[in-house]
Every structure is written in C-alpha cells, then in structure tokens.
Amino acid sequence: MSAPNYEVVLIFFIVLDECNPQTDLNIAKHIVNVHRFQDEAINPAFSTETSQRYIRYARTFNPKMTPEAADVLVEKYRILRQDDATGAGRNSYRITVRQLESMIRLSEAIARANCTSEVRLNCSRQTLRFG
C-alpha cells in the first residue's frame, strides 16, 4: 500500500474591499436573512452527496497543459520576477519558482474542477486572477 498523494497549493492574493452600493446591499440583505431565517436562508443547489460524487469524478482527471496555457504562466512568472528584481512590484516577498509551481497546480485544479483533460488558456487566466 502506497502513501497518500497530497498536493499542496500555495496561493498569494490580496482581497480588495471596494465599495459598490448594489453589491453591499445584496450582501447585507443576505447576511440579515441568514440570521433571520436560519436554515431556510441557506438552500444549496446540490446535496452533499451530489457534491461529493462530483468531486470524486473530477479527481479522476489528470489534465495536461496546452502550449498556450503554459505560455501565459511563463510570461506572468517572467514579469513577476522582473518586477521583483527591479523593485517595481508592490510585493514584499520574493518571487521564486515555487510561485510558478503553485500557479501550475492551481491551473490543473481548475481544469479538474471543469472535468477537462487539458489545462487550457482560460484555466491559466483564471489562475492569474487569484494573484
């Protein structure tokens, strides 16, 4: 029996709390309704069993990176490294190959969640939105 295969994904991102009156209103109403109606306010679209079945199915995929998706990640890594070296970036941490590996694993996870056998351009672009 082999050891479990654990995958670690490191994600660095900044949360911006931008004011938007409509969004703020929707969030406030939702939170108030959760407290007012307790369980009635939370009505998941899928049951726990259905979600677990989907996750098990998605884990069967082993997506491969397309050249276009790889190019996007390579270019982003190059820009991050360049900004890091010149001090142009606002980041206070050093960009290392670990960040590139994290972007690759996150792109693969997005492809898996979409049940695709390829890490396509949209997966890489979605990954970059987290950074």
Side-chain angles (χ1 to χ4, degrees):
M1 186 167 159
S2 64
N5 182 8
Y6 293 103
E7 196 170 293
V8 176
V9 176
L10 302 173
I11 302 174
F12 295 93
F13 61 93
I14 298 169
V15 176
L16 297 177
D17 186 13
E18 297 179 359
C19 294
N20 179 318
Q22 187 60 46
T23 302
D24 293 344
L25 178 65
N26 291 340
I27 290 171
K29 283 183 177 181
H30 175 74
I31 291 171
V32 168
N33 285 337
V34 166
H35 286 275
R36 281 182 62 209
F37 302 115
Q38 300 282 323
D39 294 334
E40 295 172 23
I42 300 172
N43 187 15
F46 302 102
S47 69
T48 302
E49 180 184 326
T50 302
S51 298
Q52 289 172 340
R53 286 179 54 212
Y54 181 82
I55 291 167
R56 278 194 303 273
Y57 176 68
R59 285 182 176 166
T60 65
F61 287 84
N62 188 19
K64 302 298 180 208
M65 184 87 54
T66 62
E68 297 82 15
D71 289 345
V72 167
L73 295 180
V74 167
E75 181 62 16
K76 180 63 174 179
Y77 176 72
R78 187 192 64 76
I79 291 169
L80 288 171
R81 288 287 292 174
Q82 184 178 1
D83 288 349
D84 191 30
T86 62
R90 299 179 310 208
N91 303 326
S92 61
Y93 57 87
R94 299 288 303 187
I95 300 299
T96 66
V97 76
R98 290 188 68 177
Q99 278 78 26
L100 176 59
E101 290 171 345
S102 294
M103 289 188 289
I104 292 168
R105 286 192 299 272
L106 188 54
S107 296
E108 290 170 345
I110 291 169
R112 247 184 237 108
N114 288 299
C115 297
T116 62
S117 58
E118 291 182 327
V119 178
R120 297 185 187 123
L121 187 59
N122 64 327
C123 298
S124 292
R125 286 186 176 151
Q126 190 171 354
T127 295
L128 298 181
R129 287 187 11 218
F130 290 113

